[in-house]
Amino acid sequence: MNPAARRRPLGVVTRGTTNPNRLRRVDNWIVATCADLLSTADDPLVVDLGYGANPVTAVELRARLAAKVRPDVRLVGLEIDPARVAAAASAADPPGLTFARGGFELAGLRPVLVRAFNVLRQYDESEVPDAWRTMTAALAPGGVLVEGTCDELGRLASWLLIDADGPRTLTLAAKLTTLGSPAELAERLPKALIHHNVPGEPVHALIRALDDAWQAAAPYATFGPRQRWLRAVTHLRETGWPILNNPTRWRQGELTLPWPHPHP
Ligand SMILES: C[S@@+](CC[C@H](N)C(=O)[O-])C[C@H]1O[C@@H](n2cnc3c(N)ncnc32)[C@H](O)[C@@H]1O
């Protein structure tokens, strides 16, 4: 066993709020964009860090990955709160789904992918870089961390893809049928960005540009919110924002771009 597994888990117990299907947007994005990484991994080990008061979102991630990426995926839900580890025991389905106590050090595991959602939002921003470094140092070679935030029901979400060199991409995602304006996403930014939604900061420029594009695309609302979002994202691309992926992803109400990125 890696010595990290014997140390005290790194981090603190925070509120355990969770909800069924709350993390569907990030899970679907992981399935679409991290499938190669998982499919080619010698050991398809995934960690869901900080699954909360009940393990429903860990159960869902394992099911999605097993059904859509590879059936032999192994998901370990790690929680720093021992009571939450005990409470999850009845949901375990070894070897594909297990639960254990652990923190940012990842309990000595070497996963190829870590999802840490709604965990860092309850920490101070100054603690984020160390938490990222600790988690990415524990990854298998080439592994990634997906770290982000969403609202209670998962209608608004955002996340960073992070590797050993730091953040690589930022994704914003919304349920388009209930989205009033993309500015609503500002309240659900990852901890590293949420306090930077102020003039002069790239994330402020991004949300402002997306919001402007959404307003300009109002006539497309006649054809439904997907068409309006597609138009807004296309406009961002045309004006120099390096939007990644393709319309299949955009249609889901997503937008991914390299991050950090200076605004055009
Ligand atoms: C708000 S819940 C998030 C639950 C679930 N991920 C979701 O998004 O619905 C945050 C959980 O993270 C756990 N947590 C906080 N810091 C942690 C750490 N360093 N390592 C493991 N778990 C941690 C807390 O104990 C809490 O149960």
Side-chain angles (χ1 to χ4, degrees):
M1 184 185 278
N2 183 312
R6 287 190 290 268
R7 287 205 302 264
R8 210 178 116 257
L10 294 175
V12 293
V13 176
T14 55
R15 280 190 310 278
T17 321
T18 189
N19 256 318
N21 227 11
R22 178 193 204 194
L23 303 186
R24 63 196 178 281
R25 290 178 201 286
V26 63
D27 288 2
N28 292 338
W29 182 88
I30 288 172
V31 164
T33 61
C34 302
D36 284 354
L37 180 69
L38 279 164
S39 304
T40 55
D42 291 338
D43 180 8
L45 176 63
V46 173
V47 162
D48 183 24
L49 185 87
Y51 53 81
N54 75 67
V56 62
T57 59
V59 173
E60 290 166 349
L61 177 58
R62 186 273 190 124
R64 288 178 176 125
L65 293 176
K68 296 179 183 158
V69 181
R70 64 187 277 185
D72 61 340
V73 69
R74 286 192 304 124
L75 188 131
V76 180
L78 291 181
E79 246 296 335
I80 199 159
D81 182 346
R84 292 174 188 159
V85 179
S90 60
D93 178 20
L97 178 63
T98 53
F99 300 97
R101 184 150 187 247
F104 297 133
E105 82 298 336
L106 306 183
L109 301 173
R110 300 280 283 163
V112 68
L113 189 141
V114 176
R115 183 189 69 183
F117 239 75
N118 298 304
V119 174
L120 289 179
R121 67 187 300 180
Q122 297 177 65
Y123 285 75
D124 194 84
E125 187 189 344
S126 62
E127 298 174 278
V128 170
D130 263 0
W132 284 354
R133 263 193 298 275
T134 307
M135 287 187 273
T136 55
L139 293 169
V144 294
L145 163 66
V146 180
E147 191 269 302
T149 303
C150 68
D151 66 349
E152 263 179 50
L153 300 180
R155 291 175 172 173
L156 299 167
S158 69
W159 55 89
L160 290 161
L161 179 78
I162 300 159
D163 66 15
D165 295 326
R168 314 300 294 193
T169 63
L170 168 66
T171 300
L172 305 178
K175 180 177 166 78
L176 296 176
T177 49
T178 54
L179 184 70
S181 130
E184 292 164 19
L185 284 157
E187 286 171 29
R188 304 293 166 176
L189 287 170
K191 188 70 185 192
L193 298 176
I194 194 160
H195 306 299
H196 294 266
N197 186 33
V198 291
E201 294 275 1
V203 74
H204 181 266
L206 172 64
I207 290 184
R208 182 77 196 268
L210 180 59
D211 210 49
D212 288 349
W214 176 257
Q215 301 312 331
Y220 286 75
T222 321
F223 308 109
R226 277 183 202 274
Q227 291 306 319
R228 184 175 180 181
W229 180 265
L230 271 173
R231 179 62 215 140
V233 173
T234 303
H235 179 77
L236 280 196
R237 238 162 95 105
E238 288 165 358
T239 52
W241 289 92
I243 311 295
L244 299 172
N245 300 336
N246 55 51
T248 310
R249 299 303 327 151
W250 307 344
R251 285 177 57 79
Q252 307 305 315
E254 277 175 16
L255 172 164
T256 297
L257 75 170
W259 203 265
H261 192 274
H263 60 87

